[in-house]
C-alpha cells in the first residue's frame, strides 16, 4: 500500500508550481506549429549532441526512460518475447536493469531521474486490467518512476479514472479489490495539452521542475493531439487535446521565464526507423527516420534539448532539428523490454544542457547458452534467468498474479492452430474474422446481421502452443483471450441504412468524413466487398453484399460493434447515424469467450471477405 501523507506532500509541491505557472501562462504567445511533411532523416547511433558550451563548471546527470509499458507485468511471450533476438521484458527484470543502470551512473557521479512517455496503462493483460491497472501503478512506484506524460491509453477508462490513478482511492464501482487500499501514483503524470473545457486549464500538472546539482531541469508532458480520435469519446467529453508544438513551447517559454533553460519534452507521439529491405535496425539506430514526431520536434524551442517519445512502439535514438538547433529524440519500444539510458551534462553558468547522449539498453531476462544465443525449453520458449529477478518487484507482481490466477487460467475454449492479427493486402486478418464472427453470434438475439471490429482493438495473436496456466496445447485460457481483447468495451447493436453502412466503410480511408489514417475494419461472415486503392475518397467501396445479396442503400440493417466504434472512435464518426441502439450483457471479451467455447475448436478466419483492386 502507498503512503498518502508522503505522496500528498509531493502532490502539493507540483500543484503549487502549476498554480504559479497558470497565473502567468495565459499571457504567453503561442508558437504556431509547422505542417510540413515529415521527410526521412538520418541520425546517429547512439544519439549524441554537444551544444558547444564549456564543460567546466558542469554537473552530470542521467535520465532513464521507457514508454508504452501497457501493464506488461509478465514477460511478453510468443513472437514478442525477444527484441532483435534477445529475450526481454517482465517487471521484475525491468526493476533489476533500472537499478543496475542507476548504480553505474552513481559510480560516475551522475544523479538519475526516471521518466516516461505515456501508455503505462491501458490495453493491459488481465493481471493488471482485472484491478483497473492499480498493479501497474504500484509497480511503477516500486521501480522508481518519477515523472511521465500521459498517453492516449491513460484515457481508456476516462478522465476521472486517470485522476484516481494519480491521486489514489478505491475504484467507485469495484472498490479496492486487493484488500490493502490504493494510494495512487508516487510519480507525477503531466498533461499539459489535456485541457478541461470548462476551466481552460490542464487536468493535471503541465510541467515539473527537478534540480540537479542546483541546476533546474524542466519537464513538459503531452499526449498526442489526436488522442480524442483513438479513445472512447464517452470518457473524454469534457476535455480537449491541444496542439503539441504550441503547448510545448508555451510552457517552455514559461519555464524559461522562471530561469529553467534545460528542458525535456515527454511526448506520447513518435516515429519509426525504415531500414533497407533485408536489414534490421538496431535498438539505438535512427535509420531513415520519419513519422508524426518529426514536424513536432522541428517546431520546438531550442531549449528542448531532449525529447522522450512513444506511441509507435518503435525503438530509436535520433538527433533531429528543432526550431534553432538540435534535439536528441528517443523511444524505448514498448512493454518494458528496453530502457533508454541518457547521460547529460548541465552548464552551471547558463543553466543549459552542455551535452546529451542516448542509447537503448535491452532488459534481458534470458539464460545465455554461452555461444551468443539463449537457452529454450522443449517447447521453444526462452528460459528465464532467476538470478536477474528483482525480489521487491516480484513480490508485488506475485500478489496480483496469485489473485488473478483462478480467473486467468480458466480454459474457455480451443483453437485448431495459431490465429494471427496480421492483415493481408486488403486489410483483413484471420483473427479479425474470428472476433467479428464472435460479436455477430453474441448479438444474434438482438437482430444483428453483421458485425464490424476495429483492428487496433486486437492486441495480440492466439498461439496454439502457448501454455499460460497448465492447459493443453490448443486450449485457450481466459487470460490469453483477454490479452487479445483487453479493453472491456461494451457490445452494441444499432440500425443503419445501407447507405449509412457504406459511408462507414468509406470512412476507413483517408480523406472521407474527416478520416486522417487508413483503418480497415474487420467484418463478420456474410459481408463482402471490394475496395479500390485508386478511387476517390467516398467512392472506394464497391460490390458491397450481405450473404451474396447487394446492400440496398434504402434498406435497414442491424449492425454490431463495440461501443468505442459506435461512439465514433478511430475517426468513424458516421457510426453516429445509427438508431435503436441496444447493449448486450457483459463486454466484448465475453463475446469472444462465448465464441471460443461454443463447440468445435475455432479455426483461423478465411480472410476472403474483403478484396482490393488497384
Amino acid at each position: 500500500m502507498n503512503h498518502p501523507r508522503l505522496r500528498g506532500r509531493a502532490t502539493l509541491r507540483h500543484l503549487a508550481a502549476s498554480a504559479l505557472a497558470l497565473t502567468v501562462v495565459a499571457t504567453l504567445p503561442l508558437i504556431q506549429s509547422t505542417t510540413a511533411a515529415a521527410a526521412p532523416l538520418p541520425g546517429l547511433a547512439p544519439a549524441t549532441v554537444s551544444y558547444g558550451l564549456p564543460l567546466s563548471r558542469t554537473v552530470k546527470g542521467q535520465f532513464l526512460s521507457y514508454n508504452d509499458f501497457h501493464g506488461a507485468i509478465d514477460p511478453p511471450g510468443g513472437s514478442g518475447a525477444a527484441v532483435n533476438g534477445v529475450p526481454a521484458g517482465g517487471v521484475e527484470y525491468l526493476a533489476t536493469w533500472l537499478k543496475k543502470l542507476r548504480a553505474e551512473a552513481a559510480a560516475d557521479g551522475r544523479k538519475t531521474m526516471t521518466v516516461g512517455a505515456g501508455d503505462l496503462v491501458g490495453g493491459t493483460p488481465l493481471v493488471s486490467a482485472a484491478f483497473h491497472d492499480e498493479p501497474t501503478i504500484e509497480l511503477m512506484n516500486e521501480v522508481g518512476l518519477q515523472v511521465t506524460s500521459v498517453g492516449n491509453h491513460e484515457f481508456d477508462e476516462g478522465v476521472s479514472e486517470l485522476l484516481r490513478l494519480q491521486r489514489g482511492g478505491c475504484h467507485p464501482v469495484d472498490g479496492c479489490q486487493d484488500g490493502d487500499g490504493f494510494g495512487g501514483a508516487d510519480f507525477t503524470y503531466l498533461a499539459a495539452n489535456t485541457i478541461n473545457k470548462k476551466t481552460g486549464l490542464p487536468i493535471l500538472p503541465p510541467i515539473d521542475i527537478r534540480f540537479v546539482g542546483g541546476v533546474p531541469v524542466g519537464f513538459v508532458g503531452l499526449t498526442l493531439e489526436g488522442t480524442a480520435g483513438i479513445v472512447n469519446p464517452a470518457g473524454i467529453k469534457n476535455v480537449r487535446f491541444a496542439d503539441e508544438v504550441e503547448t510545448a513551447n508555451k510552457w517552455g517559454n514559461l519555464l524559461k521565464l522562471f530561469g529553467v533553460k534545460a528542458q525535456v519534452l515527454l511526448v506520447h507521439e513518435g516515429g519509426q526507423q525504415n531500414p533497407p529491405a533485408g536489414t534490421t535496425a538496431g535498438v539505438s539506430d535512427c535509420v531513415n527516420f520519419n513519422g508524426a514526431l518529426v514536424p513536432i520536434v522541428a517546431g520546438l524551442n531550442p531549449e528542448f534539448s531532449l525529447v522522450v517519445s512513444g506511441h509507435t512502439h518503435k525503438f530509436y535514438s535520433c538527433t533531429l532539428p528543432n526550431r534553432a538547433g538540435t534535439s536528441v529524440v528517443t523511444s524505448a519500444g514498448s512493454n518494458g523490454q528496453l530502457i533508454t539510458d541518457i547521460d547529460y551534462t548541465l552548464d552551471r553558468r547558463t543553466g543549459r544542457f552542455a551535452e546529451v547522449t542516448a542509447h537503448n539498453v535491452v532488459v534481458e531476462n534470458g539464460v545465455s547458452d554461452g555461444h551468443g544465443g539463449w537457452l529454450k525449453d522443449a517447447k521453444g520458449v526462452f528460459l528465464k534467468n532467476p538470478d536477474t529477478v528483482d525480489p521487491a518487484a516480484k513480490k508485488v507482481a506475485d500478489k496480483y498474479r496469485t489473485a488473478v490466477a483462478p480467473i486467468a487460467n480458466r480454459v474457455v475454449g480451443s483453437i485448431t492452430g495459431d490465429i494471427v492479427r496480421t492483415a493481408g493486402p486488403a486489410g483483413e486478418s484471420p483473427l479479425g474474422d474470428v472476433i467479428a464472427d464472435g460479436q455477430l453470434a453474441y448479438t444474434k438475439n438482438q437482430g444483428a446481421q453483421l458485425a464490424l471490429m476495429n483492428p487496433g482493438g486486437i492486441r495480440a495473436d492466439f498461439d496454439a502452443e502457448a501454455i499460460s496456466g497448465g492447459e493443453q496445447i490448443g486450449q485457450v485460457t481466459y487470460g490469453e483471450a483477454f490479452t487479445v481483447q483487453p479493453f472491456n468495451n461494451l457490445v452494441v447493436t444499432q440500425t443503419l441504412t445501407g447507405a449509412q453502412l457504406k459511408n462507414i466503410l468509406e470512412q476507413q480511408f483517408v480523406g472521407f468524413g474527416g478520416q486522417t489514417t487508413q483503418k480497415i475494419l474487420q467484418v463478420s461472415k456474410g459481408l463482402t466487398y471490394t475496395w479500390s486503392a485508386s478511387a476517390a475518397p467516398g467512392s472506394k467501396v464497391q460490390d458491397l453484399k450481405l450473404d451474396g445479396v447487394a446492400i440496398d442503400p434504402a434498406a435497414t440493417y442491424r449492425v454490431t460493434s463495440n461501443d468505442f466504434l459506435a461512439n465514433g472512435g478511430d475517426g468513424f464518426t458516421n457510426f453516429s447515424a445509427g438508431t435503436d441502439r441496444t447493449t448486450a450483457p457483459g463486454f466484448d471479451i465475453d463475446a469472444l469467450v462465448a465464441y471460443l467455447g461454443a463447440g468445435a475448436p475455432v479455426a483461423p478466419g478465411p480472410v476472403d471477405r474483403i478484396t482490393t483492386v488497384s
Side-chain angles (χ1 to χ4, degrees):
M1 180 177 177
N2 296 320
H3 299 284
R5 181 173 298 174
L6 296 177
R7 184 182 54 80
R9 292 173 183 168
T11 301
L12 286 174
R13 176 173 63 84
H14 298 306
L15 291 176
S18 298
L20 175 61
L22 290 169
T23 63
V24 181
V25 72
T27 66
L28 296 176
L30 296 179
I31 305 300
Q32 296 301 313
S33 61
T34 176
T35 57
L41 294 174
L44 303 174
T48 301
V49 171
S50 177
Y51 295 95
L53 300 173
L55 294 181
S56 61
R57 296 181 298 179
T58 59
V59 58
K60 298 190 294 186
Q62 177 196 52
F63 300 118
L64 297 177
S65 67
Y66 53 91
N67 50 276
D68 297 275
F69 182 71
H70 288 291
I73 293 171
D74 296 325
S79 60
V83 176
N84 285 5
V86 180
V91 73
E92 52 262 76
Y93 300 97
L94 176 66
T96 294
W97 281 91
L98 286 170
K99 289 180 178 179
K100 177 178 183 293
L101 294 170
R102 288 175 188 138
E104 292 173 354
D108 189 38
R110 296 182 183 272
K111 176 181 178 179
T112 300
M113 285 183 279
T114 305
V115 303
D119 277 11
L120 300 177
V121 300
T124 54
L126 189 63
V127 67
S128 183
F131 306 97
H132 297 282
D133 284 326
E134 292 172 17
T136 294
I137 299 298
E138 188 172 343
L139 281 159
M140 293 303 95
N141 293 343
E142 175 62 40
V143 304
L145 183 65
Q146 292 167 279
V147 59
T148 182
S149 69
V150 295
N152 56 285
H153 280 286
E154 263 76 21
F155 297 94
D156 280 351
E157 292 192 49
V159 170
S160 296
E161 176 64 1
L162 169 59
L163 296 179
R164 186 186 74 87
L165 292 179
Q166 174 71 87
R167 299 168 182 170
C170 296
H171 189 272
V173 175
D174 295 330
C176 287
Q177 297 166 276
D178 66 350
D180 62 1
F182 177 62
D186 294 339
F187 57 90
T188 302
Y189 267 122
L190 301 182
N193 66 334
T194 305
I195 309 300
N196 184 302
K197 291 179 180 178
K198 183 176 181 180
T199 67
L201 301 176
I203 62 166
L204 284 166
I207 60 174
D208 196 7
I209 301 172
R210 306 283 173 129
F211 288 85
V212 181
V215 181
V217 177
F219 298 88
V220 178
L222 311 168
T223 186
L224 70 156
E225 183 183 5
T227 291
I230 52 177
V231 301
N232 197 321
I236 57 168
K237 58 185 178 182
N238 295 323
V239 299
R240 63 179 178 86
F241 298 92
D243 178 87
E244 301 98 337
V245 175
E246 291 177 355
T247 304
N249 286 340
K250 179 172 70 172
W251 290 103
N253 287 339
L254 181 63
L255 287 168
K256 187 177 178 181
L257 183 66
F258 289 164
V260 183
K261 299 175 183 177
Q263 298 178 13
V264 179
L265 181 63
L266 309 175
V267 57
H268 192 70
E269 180 60 286
Q272 65 179 17
Q273 302 186 63
N274 297 276
T279 65
T280 300
V283 296
S284 298
D285 289 348
C286 189
V287 180
N288 294 323
F289 186 82
N290 66 7
L293 187 60
V294 174
I296 291 174
V297 176
L300 293 177
N301 292 341
E303 286 77 17
F304 285 108
S305 297
L306 174 63
V307 177
V308 177
S309 67
H311 188 54
T312 58
H313 292 198
K314 305 298 184 182
F315 45 69
Y316 46 83
S317 179
C318 296
T319 57
L320 299 179
N322 57 41
R323 289 180 64 217
T326 303
S327 299
V328 171
V329 180
T330 70
S331 174
S334 64
N335 294 327
Q337 294 183 295
L338 294 168
I339 301 167
T340 307
D341 185 352
I342 306 162
D343 288 338
Y344 65 90
T345 56
L346 296 167
D347 184 270
R348 292 183 187 274
R349 180 178 59 85
T350 65
R352 297 177 182 272
F353 284 107
E355 188 173 50
V356 180
T357 181
H359 68 282
N360 283 323
V361 176
V362 180
V363 179
E364 297 176 7
N365 63 22
V367 179
S368 172
D369 64 4
H371 304 287
W374 304 90
L375 295 179
K376 297 181 179 180
D377 64 16
K379 297 177 181 177
V381 177
F382 289 110
L383 296 178
K384 302 298 183 290
N385 188 349
D387 296 333
T388 53
V389 167
D390 179 78
K394 185 177 187 299
K395 181 179 179 180
V396 177
D398 282 350
K399 175 181 71 171
Y400 291 105
R401 289 166 177 152
T402 299
V404 82
I407 302 171
N409 295 336
R410 177 170 61 90
V411 174
V412 297
S414 58
I415 54 179
T416 62
D418 296 349
I419 308 180
V420 301
R421 56 180 171 154
T422 304
E428 183 182 359
S429 74
L431 186 48
D433 286 354
V434 167
I435 290 173
D437 288 349
Q439 292 187 1
L440 175 60
Y442 196 65
T443 53
K444 278 287 190 180
N445 62 352
Q446 298 178 35
Q449 297 168 272
L450 62 107
L452 302 172
M453 174 64 192
N454 57 305
I458 308 172
R459 306 299 289 188
D461 302 332
F462 276 127
D463 182 349
E465 295 185 351
I467 306 299
S468 62
E471 73 277 13
Q472 300 298 309
I473 290 177
Q475 290 184 324
V476 177
T477 65
Y478 185 87
E480 291 169 340
F482 193 91
T483 300
V484 168
Q485 256 191 302
F487 293 111
N488 272 343
N489 289 312
L490 301 175
V491 182
V492 300
T493 304
Q494 56 187 331
T495 298
L496 294 161
T497 67
Q500 291 166 340
L501 173 61
K502 183 176 184 295
N503 279 341
I504 287 172
L505 296 176
E506 293 287 1
Q507 208 168 22
Q508 298 174 118
F509 306 102
V510 175
F512 183 77
Q515 185 61 270
T516 58
T517 57
Q518 181 169 301
K519 298 180 177 72
I520 303 299
L521 298 173
Q522 306 301 289
V523 302
S524 58
K525 57 185 176 183
L527 186 70
T528 59
Y529 69 91
T530 298
W531 61 271
S532 168
S534 61
S539 301
K540 291 185 176 291
V541 175
Q542 308 166 3
D543 198 26
L544 179 59
K545 296 178 179 179
L546 181 62
D547 296 326
V549 178
I551 292 290
D552 181 352
T556 59
Y557 301 86
R558 293 287 284 168
V559 180
T560 292
S561 69
N562 57 44
D563 65 328
F564 168 77
L565 279 177
N567 292 336
D570 271 350
F572 285 95
T573 56
N574 285 329
F575 267 100
S576 64
T579 59
D580 191 23
R581 180 186 292 197
T582 59
T583 302
F587 301 102
D588 51 2
I589 179 63
D590 297 307
L592 178 59
V593 165
Y595 192 69
L596 291 169
V602 173
V607 197
D608 61 357
R609 301 164 188 179
I610 308 172
T611 55
T612 186
V613 296
S614 59

